[in-house]
Amino acid sequence: MYDSIIIGAGPAGLSAGLYAARAGLKTLIIEKSNPGGQIAKTNEVANYPGSIKDPSGPELINRMVEQAKEFGAEIITDNIISVNLDGDIKKIESDENVYETRTVIVATGAEPRLLNATGEKEYTGKGVCYCATCDAPFFKDLQVYVIGGGDAAVEEAIYLTNFARKVTIIHRKDELKAAKSIQEKAFKNDKIDFIWNNEVVDFKGEGILNEITIKNTQTGEIKVLKPENDDFAFGVFVFVGYSPQTKIFENSLKLENKYIVTDEDMNTNIDGVYAAGDVRFKKIKQVVTATNDGAIAAISAGKYIEEKFN
C-alpha cells in the first residue's frame, strides 16, 4: 500500500515524487521506459533555472532522479495497462503486478506527433525540433523551416523570426488552419515565407540536418531543399500536434482534446487523483511548468491524505 503512486518519470513525475517523499508519503514512481520523457532527448536545456553546468536533458533528469531517490521515492520500470480509480484505495495494474495507493498523480506526458518521414527520428535533436522555445537560439541567423499550418505552427514561426534569418512555413494544403488574426501577423512579417501544398518526406545530413526532401501533395513533384547563403545547416520545427498519453484514463478522467482537465491545484474530477505536466490541459508546456505542476500535485495529494485518512 502506497500513499501516492506517480505514473510517469518525466520532470512533472519526478518533481511530484520528490515533494511527496519529502513530505513523508510512501511514494512510488512508475515509468514504462527510461526516466525523462521528452527532455531526455534534448541536447541542451538552457532555459531551466539553474541549468548552467552540464545543461543537457539527460544530465538534468539524472539529477532529478537522484534527488527524488534521496528523499525516499521508489522508482521502478513497469508498463501500466489499466487503472481503477474508484473508492478510497486506487488500483494500478500492469501485465504482472497490481499496485494499491491512496492517491494517484498522472504524469504520463504528451508526445509530439511525428511526420513519419524518412530520417525524422535519426535527426531529432540534430536539426529536427519540436519546441521553438527550447531550441530557437541554436538557429540564430540561420534559415529554418516550420512544418504545419495550425495555430501552434504559425505562432511558433512568428516567434522563430526573433532568432532565424528566414522562416519558411511548409504546409500540405493551400491555406493555413490557424486563426485569422494569427495568419495576418504571419503574412505581414517580412521574414516569413510559405511553401504551399507540400509535405516533408525525407531528412538527410552528415551528422546534422542539412537537406530535406519535399513532395507536392497535388502534383507529386519532388524537390530537395538545402542550406542557402553558404550556411552549414538549417533547422526544421515540426508542429503537427501532440498526442497526450491518456488512453488508459479515457473511461475515468475528464478529458478535453484527450488532455486531462484539472483545476489550479491539479485536482481531476476524481478525489485523490491528480495530473501534472504535459498530460494536463494547459497552454504552456515547458520543463519549468511541468515541475511546478508536479510540486502542486504532490502537495495537494498530501493534504488530501491528511484530511481523508488521518
Side-chain angles (χ1 to χ4, degrees):
M1 172 64 66
Y2 290 90
D3 292 315
S4 188
I5 287 181
I6 299 152
I7 307 175
L14 292 170
S15 175
L18 186 159
Y19 271 77
R22 192 168 185 264
L25 304 183
K26 186 178 181 182
T27 303
L28 174 66
I29 302 173
I30 304 175
E31 171 57 50
K32 65 180 180 180
S33 55
N34 295 321
Q38 294 182 55
I39 198 66
K41 304 173 186 177
T42 304
N43 289 331
E44 185 172 344
V45 186
N47 60 346
Y48 186 76
S51 59
I52 297 174
K53 183 179 180 181
D54 298 324
S56 71
E59 284 295 331
L60 182 60
I61 289 300
N62 287 341
R63 292 198 291 270
M64 288 184 178
V65 168
E66 183 179 350
Q67 192 173 16
K69 287 181 176 179
E70 282 184 0
F71 283 114
E74 182 183 352
I75 302 176
I76 65 170
T77 302
D78 205 350
N79 184 36
I80 303 305
I81 59 173
S82 67
V83 293
N84 184 347
L85 304 177
D86 296 328
D88 292 343
I89 304 303
K90 325 294 183 185
K91 292 186 178 181
I92 311 298
E93 299 185 22
S94 69
D95 288 322
E96 299 180 354
N97 300 295
V98 177
Y99 307 92
E100 294 186 342
T101 181
R102 294 181 173 87
T103 64
V104 174
I105 298 174
V106 181
T108 47
E111 293 289 334
R113 290 199 186 108
L114 303 181
L115 299 173
N116 292 320
T118 305
E120 181 175 7
K121 292 182 179 180
E122 180 183 353
Y123 287 98
T124 294
K126 300 176 182 178
V128 178
C129 310
Y130 302 89
C131 174
T133 308
C134 308
D135 297 327
F138 299 126
F139 300 96
K140 187 172 178 60
D141 298 326
L142 294 175
Q143 182 179 8
V144 302
Y145 293 90
V146 171
I147 315 302
D151 288 356
V154 181
E155 286 178 336
E156 297 288 31
I158 295 170
Y159 173 77
L160 283 163
T161 61
N162 295 314
F163 301 88
R165 183 182 72 248
K166 177 183 177 183
V167 178
T168 302
I169 296 176
I170 301 176
H171 188 39
R172 65 190 319 274
K173 297 183 178 181
D174 60 1
E175 61 180 7
L176 300 172
K177 295 186 298 180
K180 294 298 182 184
S181 58
I182 301 173
Q183 291 189 39
E184 290 173 1
K185 291 180 181 178
F187 290 139
K188 291 179 181 178
N189 194 312
D190 293 336
K191 295 180 73 173
I192 297 180
D193 287 336
F194 299 86
I195 297 178
W196 305 106
N197 298 315
N198 271 269
E199 58 186 1
V200 177
V201 295
D202 189 35
F203 295 93
K204 289 183 180 178
E206 296 180 4
I208 58 175
L209 180 70
N210 55 24
E211 181 181 311
I212 58 175
T213 302
I214 60 175
K215 179 181 179 181
N216 190 291
T217 56
Q218 294 184 335
T219 67
E221 179 186 358
I222 297 293
K223 185 177 181 180
V224 177
L225 304 177
K226 296 184 178 182
E228 301 175 355
N229 297 350
D230 296 325
D231 291 342
F232 64 94
F234 50 53
V236 175
F237 288 79
V238 180
F239 299 111
V240 292
Y242 282 81
S243 298
Q245 307 300 293
T246 54
K247 187 172 181 59
I248 63 173
F249 307 104
E250 288 177 348
N251 297 322
S252 54
L253 297 181
K254 181 180 179 181
L255 306 180
E256 185 170 338
N257 294 330
K258 296 187 178 181
Y259 290 90
I260 298 174
V261 177
T262 73
D263 62 15
E264 63 181 12
D265 293 323
M266 307 302 142
N267 293 292
T268 68
N269 57 300
I270 297 179
D271 289 343
V273 180
Y274 310 86
D278 289 359
V279 75
R280 190 170 75 87
F281 186 80
K282 61 178 185 175
K283 290 184 177 180
I284 307 299
K285 295 178 175 66
Q286 293 285 293
V287 180
V288 71
T289 62
T291 56
N292 170 76
D293 289 355
I296 294 173
I299 292 170
S300 295
K303 290 180 178 178
Y304 169 82
I305 291 172
E306 185 177 350
E307 295 171 359
K308 183 79 174 179
F309 298 98
N310 294 339

